């Protein structure tokens, strides 16, 4: 009986997902075929279907893999002694992929798929909810410390999450620069959380 090497299995799976991401970003879900993904990954259809049963499964996997990583980032953020440090850490994590050239195409594909795929929409909503819960926990802690927030804590959390989402949707605009956008967004977050001047300059 042939044994499966977990590391090799994970490596091949990641290779397929990376190839698929490029195709989905360029052609969308409907414009991407499993044959196209096989060509991009340099594999046969038998290998592809050993890892994923359908094209839809591949697209789901691209984003399902983010859920545990985001959960860990949320846990690290809420464990910070200073809530403003936790917010900065979480926002930095959420913006990690902003400079990826595939972001504009994948963001468009996500919006399209959410509106027609209930299972995918639930997955995205689960991820959104765990991030929102972490941000609300952190902004509530700021309020408990007496920080004069411009809005109630839950609204500050909503604004931060909305700004992060908007960053990905604007990534395809002409002259978009991920580093500049990230720095400016962190300055806005520093204002929303009433971080002191030194914190804002470090954002």
């Amino acid at each position: 009986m042939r044994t499966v090497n977990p590391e090799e299995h994970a490596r091949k799976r990641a290779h397929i997902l990376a190839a698929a991401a490029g195709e989905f970003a360029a052609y969308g879900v409907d414009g991407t075929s499993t044959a196209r993904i096989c060509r991009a990954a340099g594999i046969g259809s038998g290998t592809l279907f050993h890892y994923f049963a359908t094209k839809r499964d591949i697209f789901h996997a691209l984003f399902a893999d983010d859920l545990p990583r985001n959960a860990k980032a949320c846990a690290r953020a809420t464990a910070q002694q200073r809530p403003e440090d936790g917010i900065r850490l979480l926002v930095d994590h959420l913006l990690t992929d902003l400079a990826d050239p595939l972001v504009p195409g994948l963001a468009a594909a996500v919006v399209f798929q959410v509106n027609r795929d209930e299972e995918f929409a639930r997955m995205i909503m689960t991820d959104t909810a765990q991030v929102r819960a972490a941000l609300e926990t952190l902004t509530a802690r700021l309020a408990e410390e007496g920080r004069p927030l411009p809005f109630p804590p839950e609204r500050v959390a909503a604004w931060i999450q909305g700004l992060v989402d908007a960053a990905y949707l604007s990534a395809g605009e002409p002259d978009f620069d991920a580093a500049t956008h990230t720095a400016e967004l962190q300055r806005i977050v520093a204002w929303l959380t009433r971080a002191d001047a030194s914190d804002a300059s470090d954002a």
Side-chain angles (χ1 to χ4, degrees):
M1 181 177 178
R2 193 176 81 174
T3 59
V4 176
N5 182 324
E7 292 182 0
E8 181 64 13
H9 185 276
R11 186 190 66 78
K12 288 184 177 179
R13 182 180 182 277
H15 174 69
I16 293 170
L17 288 177
E23 300 303 306
F24 287 132
Y27 304 105
V29 177
D30 289 347
T32 298
S33 65
T34 54
R36 185 183 288 276
I37 293 172
C38 287
R39 287 195 297 272
I43 59 175
S45 59
T47 300
L48 178 69
F49 293 125
H50 173 73
Y51 288 88
F52 302 100
T54 65
K55 176 179 68 174
R56 178 172 173 270
D57 288 342
I58 300 171
F59 191 75
H60 281 216
L62 278 173
F63 300 93
D65 287 356
D66 286 338
L67 266 67
R69 288 195 290 268
N70 288 346
K72 289 180 181 178
C74 288
R76 288 196 303 271
T78 55
Q80 296 298 306
Q81 183 174 1
R82 299 200 315 165
E84 57 266 45
D85 292 341
I87 291 171
R88 185 183 298 109
L89 184 154
L90 184 53
V91 171
D92 279 341
H93 166 78
L94 295 173
L95 295 176
T96 297
D97 296 328
L98 194 58
D100 189 329
L102 301 182
V103 159
L106 287 176
V110 166
V111 171
F112 185 75
Q113 196 70 6
V114 159
N115 289 315
R116 66 174 185 177
D117 183 338
E118 291 185 7
E119 182 183 352
F120 183 73
R122 284 196 298 272
M123 180 175 66
I124 296 300
M125 289 174 63
T126 296
D127 190 46
T128 298
Q130 71 175 352
V131 171
R132 177 66 65 85
L135 288 171
E136 288 184 353
T137 295
L138 291 163
T139 52
R141 285 173 55 193
L142 288 174
E144 290 167 2
E145 292 178 0
R147 189 72 58 88
L149 301 177
F151 313 111
E154 64 275 11
R155 292 302 305 151
V156 173
W159 271 109
I160 294 171
Q161 190 168 36
L163 288 166
V164 171
D165 291 343
Y168 280 92
L169 293 175
S170 63
E173 295 177 356
D175 301 323
F176 179 85
D177 180 78
T180 298
H181 200 102
T182 297
E184 291 175 351
L185 197 155
Q186 285 287 23
R187 289 178 63 187
I188 296 170
V189 170
W191 177 82
L192 283 169
T193 57
R194 292 296 195 256
D196 61 31
S198 63
D199 284 344
S201 66
D202 290 338

